[in-house]
Amino acid sequence: MDHISPEVLLRFVDGHATREEVRSVVRHLLAGCAECGRALHRPYQTGCARDERAYDEVFDRCLNWIKQRKS
C-alpha cells in the first residue's frame, strides 16, 4: 500500500489540503492504514502540534465530508 506523503498529511491536518488530497487521505485512512493514522496522531502525542484543536477539526471535516457524500 502506498502511503500519503508527510507534506500532504501536514496540509490535511492544517486544513490546507486540496479537495482531492482530502479525498485521498480519507480513502487511505478508511482503507485501514494504521501507519498513516499514527503519523497523523504523532504530533499531538509529542506536543509538537501547532494548534491542538486542529486535530479535532480535521476529523470534524472528515466526518462532515463523509456525511455530505452519503446524502
Side-chain angles (χ1 to χ4, degrees), residues 8 10-19 21-22 50 61:
V8 171
L10 182 59
R11 284 195 299 272
F12 179 78
V13 169
D14 286 343
H16 297 112
T18 66
R19 184 179 180 106
E21 288 173 336
V22 170
R50 293 182 184 126
R61 285 193 304 274

Side-chain angles (χ1 to χ4, degrees), residues 18-55:
T18 66
R19 184 179 180 106
E20 186 54 39
E21 288 173 336
V22 170
R23 288 178 180 167
S24 178
V25 171
V26 170
R27 277 193 301 265
H28 187 73
L29 294 173
L30 289 175
C33 183
E35 186 175 334
C36 287
R38 284 189 301 274
L40 282 174
H41 191 65
R42 194 170 300 120
Y44 300 93
Q45 291 175 324
T46 61
C48 296
R50 293 182 184 126
D51 183 351
E52 292 182 14
R53 294 171 302 197
Y55 187 73

